[in-house]
Amino acid sequence: MQPTLDHAFARDLPELTVPWQAEEAPEPRLLALNDALALDLGLDTDWLRSPAGVRFLIGNELPEGARPVAQAYAGHQFGGFSPQLGDGRALLLGELETPSGPVDLHLKGSGRTPFARGGDGRAVVGPMLREFLISEAMHALGVRTTRSLAVVATGRLVAREAPAPGAVLTRVASSHLRVGSFQFARATADTALLRRLADLAITRHYPVLTGSDRYLDLYRSVVATQADLVARWMGVGFVHGVMNTDNMTISGETIDYGPCAFLDGYHPSAVFSSIDHQGRYAFGNQPAIAQWNLARFAEALLPLLASDEESAIAVATEALQEFAPLHRAAWGRVLAAKLGLADPGTALEVGEGLLDLMAEARADFTLTFSNLIEAARGNPEPVRALMLDLPRIDGWLARWRDLMPDVDTMAAANPAQVPRNHLTDHALRAAEAGDLTDFEAILAAVRSPWTPADPRFAEPPPASFAESFQTFCGT
Ligand code: AMP
Ligand code: MG
């Protein structure tokens, strides 16, 4: 049965939308459906698999009265401000009511919109399945994220380096409000619009904020949720790759799985994106960039924070200063769990000692920590085998063992498998050629990250792959 969609965003913030329709797909074919998510959303999976359901999933057959829109937003991309980005190849279909509140149903790859600039408005099978896989992995790893409901092949060939099969991703998010949405509203100089946007953000994400300082409280809440989110990314070796302000949500969900990757060999300067020449979005730079983005968020919110700009800057600056200690505390908790230690402060010190040794040896991130579970059980050899400086790792292991690490805590915090770049790449190539077998096998493995699956999912890539692997934006 067709679900009912609400259109609160389009109704309440028409200034931030352009009513628009998804492009017709010549021959839609369902490639991936997230049954568990569909059930959580109260959607009928048999119907979603039917021709009408598949057409619904790509916005080609919507309920009566549906009002799909392209959302406007601005954003700092690699530090430079673009006053008008917006959904160039995406649409908000509407909101779906769920037991835990409304969620956005959103399309990526649904055709050109007025925000498309030079782009073709399309997306292709490999990158959309990649977003499906990685967002599922992140969810299973306990990292807040937008979700993927479906990937539908359109039956159209899309011009890329080589022509590639087109696809649409159906995305679910608690909202698509971004720092860039606020930057767009601020740039209109319409403070009433900015206030309506902030009110919507509070209603949807922070409904407990009702006091007279609620806009400052909104800001502080986003600072806190992002400080925590980035620590969790780093705990699973995740590099987002394109932390532009239009890709930072107000909800605290990870969004926009374009050039992201998981670390193989650890180094804080690890970068995968083909266009990130300066390492702006390198693994270890992510907290600093989150803080930079949050400063831009504060600038956008200033008119709501106090009656004069000087006081607004003062309260915003004070609130932003909470980011570093909050992030450090969150990173301490992440490391404490990974090392099986009770005290985050100790874990920070001990953990950073280990990370130094890992960086020196470019030790595989996921494998080092899963081998450390072995070490806690009495066998340090698999960890030692990944390191270069054996006297130092032996000293480190002795100190850590003295702290009595808890094996169960570690087993619940250190994944046996993440979506390995080389395996994912290989599987997506096969999927583009029509064979989903490997994609489905990896998906099943990363949905149960704590339980070792096929050992090949835990193995690092061949050195030749690791040296040359790159990711791309806007695919
Ligand atoms: P992203 O790097 O995915 O965050 O996208 C940045 C901006 O580029 C957004 O405004 C997107 O809508 C737009 N964009 C990316 N790829 C395309 C495309 N193929 N066609 C139109 N717009 C695009
Ligand atoms: Mg984006």
Side-chain angles (χ1 to χ4, degrees), residues 73 108 171 178 246-247 255-256:
Y73 50 83
K108 188 160 167 178
R171 182 155 79 181
R178 318 140 187 266
D246 52 303
N247 292 337
I255 196 169
D256 236 323

Side-chain angles (χ1 to χ4, degrees), residues 73 77 85-87 89 108 171 178 240 242 244 246-248 255-257:
Y73 50 83
Q77 301 187 299
L85 290 169
D87 288 335
R89 56 163 171 175
K108 188 160 167 178
R171 182 155 79 181
R178 318 140 187 266
H240 183 284
V242 62
N244 296 332
D246 52 303
N247 292 337
M248 180 184 260
I255 196 169
D256 236 323
Y257 294 95

Side-chain angles (χ1 to χ4, degrees), residues 133 137 417-420 422-428 436-448 456-457:
L133 178 76
Q417 60 261 334
V418 296
R420 290 271 182 188
H422 63 300
L423 297 177
T424 303
D425 238 35
H426 190 263
L428 294 177
L436 289 165
T437 319
D438 284 355
F439 168 78
E440 282 162 2
I442 298 176
L443 180 62
V446 301
R447 276 176 164 159
S448 303
R456 84 191 161 100
F457 294 132

Side-chain angles (χ1 to χ4, degrees), residues 252-269:
E253 289 174 354
T254 311
I255 196 169
D256 236 323
Y257 294 95
C260 62
F262 284 87
L263 293 178
D264 292 305
Y266 170 75
H267 200 280
S269 66

Side-chain angles (χ1 to χ4, degrees), residues 32 61 102 117 136 190 194 200 235 239 266 283 290 298 316 370 395 398:
E61 194 170 316
R117 293 167 291 154
E136 276 304 278
D190 178 349
L194 185 65
L200 182 76
V239 183
Y266 170 75
F283 178 83
S370 50

Side-chain angles (χ1 to χ4, degrees), residues 343-362:
D343 175 46
T346 311
L348 273 174
E349 187 211 322
V350 175
E352 280 166 6
L354 176 65
L355 288 167
D356 281 348
L357 287 164
M358 289 166 65
E360 176 195 44
R362 306 255 166 178

Side-chain angles (χ1 to χ4, degrees), residues 235 338-339 354 358 364-377 379-380 382-383 386 400 407 410-418 420 449-452 455 457-460:
K338 291 184 81 66
L339 297 171
L354 176 65
M358 289 166 65
D364 186 84
F365 188 86
T366 304
L367 211 52
T368 300
F369 285 100
S370 50
N371 288 354
L372 213 51
I373 303 174
E374 268 304 290
R377 292 189 172 121
N379 177 14
V383 172
L386 298 174
W400 170 68
V407 179
M410 294 178 72
N414 294 306
Q417 60 261 334
V418 296
R420 290 271 182 188
W450 319 113
T451 316
F457 294 132
E459 274 165 29

